[in-house]
Amino acid sequence: MHHQALDVLIVEDEPQLATLHAEFIENNFNLRVVAYAATLAEAKSRVISHQPRLILLDNYLPDGQGIELMEQPAVKTPGCSVIFITAASDMHTCSQAIRNGAFDYIIKPVSYKRLRNSLERFMQFVQTQRSFKVIDQSSVDALYNLQSKQFSNEPSAKGIEPNTLERVQTLFVNQPSRALAVEDIVEQAGISKTTARRYLEYCANTQFVRVEMVYGNIGHPRRLYRKA
């Protein structure tokens, strides 16, 4: 069944960027941009007049911070989601946006791969919302997981470098059934033990691998890692 496109409001004070976002959104998803706002004041009135299903919200606006928009009743309804975009890597704004129910949080400059990931989850979220007639624990979990997926599939953790991460992850992809120890990673990826540990923990936190404890006869359990 074909649903009509969902309405999007883009709040961004750089016109070229707003246009780029709009083209990307409309070319790749069943979404249509119904309005633009370049200031917080415009955003407040357009939210009321258009009642968008999704807002792409930039935080730094000429007349204030986009995050204030999230306090508006029209934005707080369950029928409106916000993908929050900001150059501030300050944790305070980030946690405030999450507390206010941002669907996702993207740091500028916007990576389109990251935005695509976010919009795919949003479309799935809407789809999932429509398809549940009964709300039970598993349907709540599905919605919750779509909304609060690890904020990034791209490394943003401190000290995690994309090429090394890829090297480590490839080892698991190539040997999916093997449980690898830190030593195997050191040897096969050619990195130090400390580095190997850091990347393995990152892979475990992002649920790329799962951790298995093996209790040998030497007392200390060994941590082994296997592709999740």
Side-chain angles (χ1 to χ4, degrees):
M1 130 187 198
H2 191 70
H3 291 285
Q4 71 181 78
L6 303 170
D7 293 352
V8 182
L9 164 66
I10 294 181
V11 182
E12 164 61 66
D13 65 331
E14 294 174 44
Q16 280 129 320
L17 208 52
T19 313
L20 278 176
H21 289 346
E23 283 174 4
F24 177 77
I25 289 174
E26 294 188 330
N27 290 338
N28 292 285
F29 296 93
N30 190 19
L31 295 167
R32 60 163 188 210
V33 176
V34 289
Y36 295 95
T39 64
L40 186 58
E42 280 178 13
K44 286 177 176 172
S45 76
R46 304 233 151 91
V47 159
I48 296 164
S49 56
H50 291 86
Q51 302 195 332
R53 182 64 190 79
L54 176 67
I55 303 174
L56 229 60
L57 178 58
D58 186 42
N59 193 37
Y60 284 104
L61 298 167
D63 57 344
Q65 294 211 322
I67 195 145
E68 281 182 43
L69 190 70
M70 298 182 75
E71 299 296 337
Q72 302 284 306
V75 177
K76 282 188 149 165
T77 70
C80 179
S81 296
V82 173
I83 292 178
F84 191 72
I85 299 178
T86 180
S89 38
D90 76 291
M91 250 351 263
H92 175 69
T93 312
C94 176
S95 45
Q96 205 183 337
I98 294 165
R99 251 203 327 276
N100 284 343
F103 181 81
D104 204 351
Y105 185 96
I106 297 178
I107 304 282
K108 276 186 158 178
V110 175
S111 130
Y112 279 98
K113 181 176 159 197
R114 181 66 184 81
L115 182 59
R116 176 188 293 275
N117 170 284
S118 186
L119 292 167
E120 277 168 1
R121 285 206 325 272
F122 170 71
M123 297 306 280
Q124 241 176 308
F125 178 74
V126 172
Q127 201 43 52
T128 311
Q129 262 183 332
R130 283 179 178 146
S131 62
F132 290 142
K133 297 292 173 270
V134 196
I135 283 291
D136 57 13
Q137 188 64 54
S138 66
S139 49
V140 171
D141 292 348
L143 287 171
Y144 187 77
N145 289 335
L146 282 170
Q147 178 147 7
S148 65
K149 232 351 168 227
Q150 269 72 33
F151 269 118
S152 171
N153 294 345
E154 297 176 25
S156 58
K158 268 203 173 56
I160 296 294
E161 194 272 316
N163 296 343
T164 310
L165 181 64
E166 194 176 335
R167 220 160 60 225
V168 171
Q169 291 185 335
T170 307
L171 298 176
F172 288 99
V173 174
N174 293 342
Q175 324 171 63
S177 53
R178 261 194 78 188
L180 302 172
V182 175
E183 294 73 26
D184 299 320
I185 303 297
V186 168
E187 192 182 321
Q188 297 177 27
I191 53 182
S192 75
K193 209 164 182 171
T194 325
T195 307
R197 284 212 178 91
R198 187 167 70 235
Y199 282 86
L200 286 167
E201 282 314 303
Y202 178 80
C203 288
N205 292 337
T206 51
Q207 290 158 7
F208 179 82
V209 297
R210 56 171 196 270
V211 181
E212 297 172 8
M213 299 303 245
V214 179
Y215 296 88
N217 45 13
I218 30 180
H220 278 305
R222 295 182 68 209
R223 290 167 76 87
L224 293 179
Y225 300 84
R226 195 187 296 269
K227 174 94 179 71

